[in-house]
Amino acid sequence: MFAVLKTGGKQYRVQAGDTLRVEKLAADAGETVQFNEILMVGATVGAPLVEGAAVQAEVIDQIKADKVITYVKRRRKHSSQRTRGHRQQLTLLRITEVLETGGDKSGVKAAIGARTAGASYVAEAEPAPAKKAAKPAAKKAEAAAEDAPKSAGTRPANLLSEAREGGADDLKQISGVGPKLEGLLHENGVFHFDQIAEWKKAEIEYMDDQLAFHGRIERDDWIKQAKELAKGKKD
């Protein structure tokens, strides 16, 4: 029976007795490893993997592929050139058994790529000692609250839950206030020119923080504009 397995980003068609070279595995010569990513076994095609199927193999040796030479020459860069060689690290295997079912209960060590072995071993490591245990949830929440940035300034006392009778003023008449910023002002209880006109330094700092447009209120002189617009509305 043959199977198609996946390892190292490649697919291999194998059957018992085949000798195979794959991307380096975290295993020593003589060890038996098991491939669990099986795409096909005989006439059974996975979706994408065949559940319970596996391929077991014996590690013969850790080897290197033939050397590959690369030559790079850069034009118009003072005739820069470079020659580099590379030999890919591989693992030589002998396929010992193809399991159509029961692979998940075999107990054989899973074939793990050498590059990802570190992460796998960390996941299997023992839990940290009790003295290094994480803080209780209540203490975590308390610490997070202490570390959280505090809102600057003082909340204006003239904020409203809704516009007064007659409807909200057109805050977009203030230079620097567009539809989005007007919406944020409404969400924060600001609907009228006279509300903005009454803000003091600490209240401006608070609203700057709420609107996430630091310095905009003073830079565009909202207070002066609001006073003039509120006065014009009364007249």
Side-chain angles (χ1 to χ4, degrees):
M1 179 184 296
F2 77 91
V4 177
L5 63 86
K6 179 182 177 182
T7 180
K10 300 180 179 66
Q11 299 176 14
Y12 302 87
R13 184 186 186 281
V14 299
Q15 58 185 19
D18 285 354
T19 301
L20 188 67
R21 300 194 307 173
V22 299
E23 296 285 332
K24 186 176 180 180
L25 302 176
D28 297 324
E31 282 191 85
T32 298
V33 295
Q34 177 172 293
F35 296 93
N36 297 313
E37 292 188 87
I38 309 302
L39 306 175
M40 183 175 180
V41 176
T44 305
V45 180
L49 304 179
V50 180
E51 186 175 352
V55 172
Q56 295 180 0
E58 179 188 356
V59 178
I60 298 174
D61 198 6
Q62 299 289 358
I63 61 176
K64 289 185 178 181
D66 296 336
K67 181 178 287 188
V68 177
I69 303 296
T70 59
Y71 177 75
V72 179
K73 180 177 176 63
R74 298 183 181 86
R75 297 179 60 196
R76 304 184 185 88
K77 288 187 178 292
H78 308 290
S79 300
S80 172
Q81 57 188 23
R82 181 181 64 186
T83 302
R84 299 180 65 179
H86 173 71
R87 296 186 68 187
Q88 182 68 32
Q89 293 185 323
L90 304 171
T91 298
L92 184 62
L93 304 169
R94 180 181 295 108
I95 304 300
T96 57
E97 190 172 1
V98 175
L99 302 176
E100 192 170 2
T101 59
D104 51 344
K105 300 177 182 179
S106 67
V108 177
K109 173 183 174 181
I112 302 173
R115 293 184 180 181
T116 59
S120 300
Y121 293 151
V122 168
E124 296 172 3
E126 294 182 0
K131 64 179 181 180
K132 293 185 180 179
K135 295 180 181 179
K139 289 187 177 180
K140 279 187 177 181
E142 186 179 331
E146 291 177 358
D147 294 339
K150 305 296 187 296
S151 295
T154 303
R155 186 177 186 273
N158 63 357
L159 299 181
L160 304 172
S161 58
E162 59 183 13
R164 302 189 195 110
E165 187 176 350
D169 295 335
D170 183 7
L171 301 180
K172 296 191 295 296
Q173 292 184 46
I174 297 175
S175 177
V177 177
K180 181 177 180 181
L181 200 48
E182 183 181 46
L184 287 174
L185 286 165
H186 289 173
E187 289 176 11
N188 284 275
V190 182
F191 300 92
H192 304 281
F193 298 131
D194 59 358
Q195 289 179 270
I196 298 174
E198 294 173 1
W199 291 346
K200 305 303 180 186
K201 180 70 176 177
E203 294 169 327
I204 290 173
E205 291 179 0
Y206 175 89
M207 293 306 299
D208 261 340
D209 190 56
Q210 296 303 306
L211 301 175
F213 283 96
H214 299 287
R216 169 68 65 84
I217 297 174
E218 290 187 317
R219 185 169 62 251
D220 291 339
D221 206 350
W222 285 14
I223 308 304
K224 181 180 178 181
Q225 292 186 67
K227 286 179 179 179
E228 292 175 353
L229 290 164
K231 183 180 178 182
K233 184 180 177 183
K234 289 179 181 179
D235 295 342

